[in-house]
């Protein structure tokens, strides 16, 4: 018998919500969502993130456009951008009279992890209040325009965008997309590639139904997602952010 | 009045546990922890991670050594490594007859986010079962030795390591480290640097107590953490993993 409790049931039932009722997220709900984010585990208790609460309708509309043209971003009652922030602590060190090294790619990956761990606590907190959410991975695209829109200085990188609101009836009752079976994504001790036969079985176990065809369906998904313009743009844009963290990046001014 | 419920209380109370009782994590508890990870939000329902369950004591001892010499990694009842996996889907695409592009840095950041979001659901699930946890950020260090130890192929990168177990009495009663006040880490709409006076106030609000001294304490933290050997190693190592995702990386073989 699988173990069950209220928290586990909620984590299992949670699915992304992309259409919201008009009911706002109340200030005390917003505070509870943010408080859960702050209370997430964080490397060395450093909170290597800054959270932007996007309240300006014009900025929301612009972000909706920059994030692969998704109007739900403008329509959502609450929109938070979790920035990996590799800037606050070096600025504090300098204010204290220290001369810290420049941020490197390890700092970026650690801060992205910190920001996403905090973001997922925000999701779980919202869910407990009946407030749905959806991650917007596209926030990583269009680095130059995003930097201008959000006034991002060097060493501050969008790690996750979340929109929040109460699900419409249709959103509440729709089925949760199926996950892979555990053996498809868990290995004991060391990494092992799934064989081609195992991959076919993994996808069939997840997706099989009327008209299912591994070759055709995966080819279509590859074209629609992985080889899409927005996916290529995401890597181009990520490289722009990354350049700040690689050797040869311009040094930070003293303050 | 802040809103409260069981989930919010649990997220607020959770703190890292680094010393565990001898009680094992039962198989059904492990299954519940993994199930919560699988059920986390994931970009396009792709589950862009592989989870390694490290059961081999010799490998645990090696990882404890590679992760800045932390013996608690060997001693923990359960140890999971969350790998950002940019390999499974391209392999499936190729198995289906497609010819996907090479993975880029956007794929890596998206997969790191996916892996950390799943990891944090594992943390929350464990907490609901009375099982504590601790992230080990050092898993990003020593890329060459880590790749050999975990048999990591190209485009598979450690995003998070988690150790789990029941807290000792000392761990259960110790104080949770204080977070920054909301205004220190949340901005409305656009990013704004905290002024030096604000930074001093932010740290004082978090840390002030007998003997507190912003300049001396931040200088010491900078030397001990940010400018430490392990922190420099983390960026060196991250650059090794990143090289796979940047232009000029060797192309993947067809299968």
């Amino acid at each position: 018998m699988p173990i069950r409790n209220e928290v586990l049931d909620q984590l299992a039932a949670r699915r992304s919500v992309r259409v919201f009722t008009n009911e706002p997220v109340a200030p005390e709900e917003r505070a509870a969502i943010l408080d859960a984010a702050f209370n997430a585990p964080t490397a060395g208790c450093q909170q290597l993130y800054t959270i932007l609460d996007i309240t300006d309708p014009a900025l929301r509309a612009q972000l909706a456009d920059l994030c692969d043209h998704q109007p739900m971003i403008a329509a959502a009652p609450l929109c938070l951008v979790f920035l990996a922030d590799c800037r606050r602590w070096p600025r504090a060190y300098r204010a204290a009279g220290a001369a810290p090294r420049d941020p490197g790619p390890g700092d970026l990956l650690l801060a992205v992890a910190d920001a996403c761990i905090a973001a997922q606590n925000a999701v779980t907190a919202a869910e407990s209040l009946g407030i749905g959410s959806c991650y917007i991975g596209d926030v990583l695209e269009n680095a130059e325009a995003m930097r201008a829109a959000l006034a991002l200085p060097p060493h501050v990188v969008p790690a996750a965008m979340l929109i929040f609101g109460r699900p419409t009836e249709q959103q509440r009752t729709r089925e949760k997309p199926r996950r892979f079976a555990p053996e498809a994504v868990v290995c004991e001790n060391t990494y092992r590639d799934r064989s081609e036969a195992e991959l076919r079985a993994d996808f069939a176990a997840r997706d099989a139904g009327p008209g299912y065809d591994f070759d055709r369906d995966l080819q279509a998904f590859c074209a629609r997602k992985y080889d899409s313009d927005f996916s290529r743009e995401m890597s181009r844009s990520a490289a722009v952010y990354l350049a700040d963290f690689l050797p040869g990046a311009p040094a930070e001014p003293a303050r």
Side-chain angles (χ1 to χ4, degrees), chain A:
Chain A
M1 272 290 283
I3 305 180
R4 291 186 58 175
N5 63 38
E6 186 190 323
V7 172
L8 296 176
D9 285 350
Q10 191 197 285
L11 295 175
R14 190 269 173 199
R15 56 201 180 295
S16 294
V17 173
R18 294 183 176 80
V19 190
F20 307 103
T21 69
N22 289 327
E23 193 179 343
V25 172
E28 61 273 21
E29 292 173 329
R30 173 186 173 281
I33 290 167
L34 288 171
D35 192 58
F38 305 149
N39 273 300
T42 167
C45 201
Q46 293 174 93
Q47 300 180 261
L48 300 168
Y49 51 78
T50 288
I51 303 172
L52 303 183
D53 180 6
I54 312 292
T55 59
D56 175 26
L59 181 55
R60 282 282 201 96
Q62 191 185 358
L63 293 182
D65 196 43
L66 289 176
C67 295
D68 201 34
H69 314 286
Q70 300 187 74
M72 63 189 182
I73 296 167
L78 176 66
C79 173
L80 301 177
V81 179
F82 287 74
L83 303 167
D85 190 334
C86 300
R87 181 171 172 89
R88 179 185 299 116
W89 281 81
R91 287 188 73 251
Y93 295 142
R94 284 191 202 95
R101 62 177 172 75
D102 291 329
D107 300 297
L108 175 61
L109 292 184
L110 196 66
V112 167
D114 232 53
C116 291
I117 289 165
Q120 185 54 16
N121 259 23
V123 164
T124 300
E127 196 73 10
S128 80
L129 300 170
I131 296 171
S133 57
C134 185
Y135 281 96
I136 312 290
D138 304 278
V139 73
L140 198 51
E141 297 161 22
N142 297 307
E144 299 84 352
M146 191 64 74
R147 276 181 162 167
L150 302 179
L152 304 184
H155 304 127
V156 176
V157 178
M161 178 193 271
L162 276 168
I163 54 175
F164 297 90
R166 288 182 169 74
T168 60
E169 183 58 27
Q170 180 272 335
Q171 291 278 303
R172 221 189 333 255
T173 53
R174 118 195 128 76
E175 210 175 329
K176 176 162 176 159
R178 290 189 62 176
R179 287 356 191 211
F180 289 117
E183 62 269 24
V185 290
V186 180
C187 297
E188 191 167 358
N189 291 316
T190 52
Y191 191 91
R192 186 178 72 75
D193 276 329
R194 301 292 280 172
S195 70
E196 183 173 323
E198 285 171 331
L199 281 173
R200 287 177 179 271
D202 292 342
F203 279 84
R206 195 188 75 150
D207 297 336
Y212 172 77
D213 182 306
F214 176 84
D215 290 358
R216 192 203 54 215
D217 293 356
L218 264 287
Q219 286 185 33
F221 193 82
C222 183
R224 182 162 61 82
K225 278 273 195 187
Y226 194 73
D227 277 333
S228 67
D229 288 347
F230 71 77
S231 183
R232 290 170 187 272
E233 165 55 22
M234 191 181 288
S235 275
R236 185 206 66 80
S237 179
V240 172
Y241 289 117
L242 261 175
D244 282 353
F245 296 89
L246 297 177
E252 271 293 277
R255 285 290 150 89

